[in-house]
Amino acid sequence: MKKFMGVAAVGALLIALAGCAGGSAGGGDEAGGGGDELVVGFSQVGAESGWRTANTISIQDAFTDAGYELKFSDAQGKQENQIKAIRSFIQQQVDVIAFSPVVESGWDTVLKEAKDAGIPVVLTDRSVDSEDDSLYESFLGSDFIAEGEKAGEWVATEFADADKVTIVELQGTTGAAPANDRAEGLRNVIGDDAKFEIVASQTGDFTRAGGKQVMEAFLKSNPDIDLVYAHNDDMGLGAIEAIEAAGMTPGTDIKIVTVDAVKDGMTALSEGKINLIVECSPLLGPQLVEIAEKVAAGEEVEKRIVTEETTFTQEEATAALPDRQY
Ligand code: GZL
């Protein structure tokens, strides 16, 4: 921020001097008045899912379009890599640090280092469980508990006439906010109704391979599964492969509800292999640029910015697919 503010001041001075010199740079010329480039360090979780790929593209494109420098680091799913990247951004004295915390806990020390260095931090996509919310300026992302509750409301309606519903849950990355909160959200809605029994719940780490592997094990130990609740489309798509390999029809013999609404998930939904998808938008880039500009300029920003999202049925997915950006 100091760096960005300093550049802004120098830029203003150069513009003033150019004006005083009667446009000695040839009038109308960009010389001395070029844009003050914002430099943002961004630590991304990894590349584990279609959602993450779309999120990375959205952020990189938004900073390119704005003409700002984005120092991008892929943590390959490891918290220690994100902590290293944040420390590197501090050393480089970037104007703003932004990141999607792979897990909720363990960030206070490095966030205090950024605060002591006078570099504002913005959380995107996932949040942290720190008690001290002065360690970050804003959290831009979905309400994962609400996403789980939307899934729960569909389950309650879909199985309204059933006496007993056997559920297996493919959880996201252990310790990640979306995994914790999507699990909580579903249980907020169906947890008190004894007819719903979650007989198995295990992480598939938000990956297609992980979802397939865990679902194969679930099928071996649970002969009468009625529903799969997958915390993201990719694990749901892996579950589809396992269900079909076991000679059953996904979406019919075993119903599936997932979260994200990426193209591959929406395609499976339109084919009836998934029954409902709760949307979680990865298109956070433009809003992140706006927030970074404001915090770099020392302006107030909202502490919590929730992304707008919906749900898709089979018919809605079929209609939405042609225009889907990701
Ligand atoms: C949600 C995001 C999750 C997606 C997964 O905002 O953090 O991580 O639901 C992704 O697809 O891997």
Side-chain angles (χ1 to χ4, degrees):
M1 187 160 62
K2 286 197 292 275
K3 179 176 175 295
F4 179 62
M5 295 293 278
V7 166
V10 168
L13 180 61
L14 287 173
I15 291 168
L17 289 175
C20 293
S24 60
D29 190 304
E30 284 304 303
D36 299 321
E37 187 188 60
L38 184 67
V39 179
V40 174
F42 185 81
S43 170
Q44 179 60 295
V45 166
E48 74 282 1
S49 63
W51 189 98
R52 187 65 55 199
T53 302
N55 179 245
T56 291
I57 292 168
S58 173
I59 289 167
Q60 290 177 330
D61 286 355
F63 278 88
T64 299
D65 294 349
Y68 296 143
E69 182 184 351
L70 182 74
K71 293 180 183 291
F72 182 90
S73 163
D74 175 336
Q76 295 172 336
K78 293 183 171 57
Q79 181 174 30
E80 63 265 27
N81 289 345
Q82 290 197 293
I83 291 171
K84 279 183 199 144
I86 291 169
R87 287 185 168 135
S88 170
F89 296 147
I90 293 170
Q91 286 302 318
Q92 297 175 69
Q93 293 186 314
V94 298
D95 297 307
V96 179
I97 291 170
F99 76 117
S100 171
V102 60
V103 292
E104 285 191 285
S105 305
W107 301 102
D108 281 21
T109 300
V110 74
L111 292 181
K112 284 193 180 83
E113 291 168 21
K115 184 176 179 181
D116 293 345
I119 300 177
V121 173
V122 176
L123 304 180
T124 82
D125 167 27
R126 301 181 183 179
S127 189
V128 298
D129 62 6
S130 176
E131 296 292 316
D132 178 2
D133 72 1
S134 75
L135 294 176
Y136 58 89
E137 304 304 314
S138 183
F139 165 38
L140 163 66
S142 305
D143 179 342
F144 302 129
I145 291 178
E147 290 172 349
E149 289 171 346
K150 288 175 188 174
E153 282 147 22
W154 176 83
V155 170
T157 305
E158 181 71 13
F159 293 95
D161 301 333
D163 299 324
K164 183 178 180 313
V165 184
T166 300
I167 301 171
V168 294
E169 181 181 33
L170 295 169
Q171 291 210 345
T173 302
T174 303
N180 295 336
D181 293 353
R182 286 171 184 166
E184 180 182 336
L186 182 92
R187 289 162 175 78
N188 286 349
V189 177
I190 65 166
D192 294 338
D193 186 337
K195 80 175 185 180
F196 295 109
E197 186 183 2
I198 301 175
V199 296
S201 183
Q202 190 177 330
T203 182
D205 214 15
F206 282 131
T207 66
R208 196 176 295 207
K212 181 180 180 185
Q213 188 179 5
V214 173
M215 190 65 202
E216 285 166 349
F218 284 168
L219 287 164
K220 288 195 179 78
S221 48
N222 301 279
D224 303 318
I225 296 170
D226 298 304
L227 171 72
V228 177
Y229 173 42
H231 290 184
N232 81 330
D233 292 352
D234 291 68
M235 293 191 292
L237 292 163
I240 286 169
E241 290 178 39
I243 292 166
E244 289 176 332
M248 288 183 276
T249 307
T252 305
D253 298 333
I254 298 179
K255 296 198 184 294
I256 302 178
V257 54
T258 70
V259 186
D260 276 351
V262 295
K263 196 163 279 183
D264 288 351
M266 294 283 270
T267 302
L269 174 57
S270 69
E271 293 165 350
K273 295 184 177 180
I274 291 177
N275 302 93
L276 183 94
I277 299 184
V278 177
E279 185 183 33
C280 175
S281 175
L283 305 181
L284 304 177
Q287 284 178 285
L288 179 57
V289 167
E290 281 175 29
I291 295 167
E293 286 171 334
K294 287 182 177 173
V295 298
E299 294 172 21
E300 276 297 303
V301 291
E302 288 175 74
K303 199 70 178 174
R304 177 73 176 98
I305 302 166
V306 182
T307 39
E308 296 296 315
E309 296 162 346
T310 183
T311 57
F312 290 96
T313 62
Q314 181 176 4
E315 296 70 31
E316 290 162 341
T318 303
L321 262 171
D323 305 325
R324 205 84 186 137
Q325 288 182 55
Y326 58 92

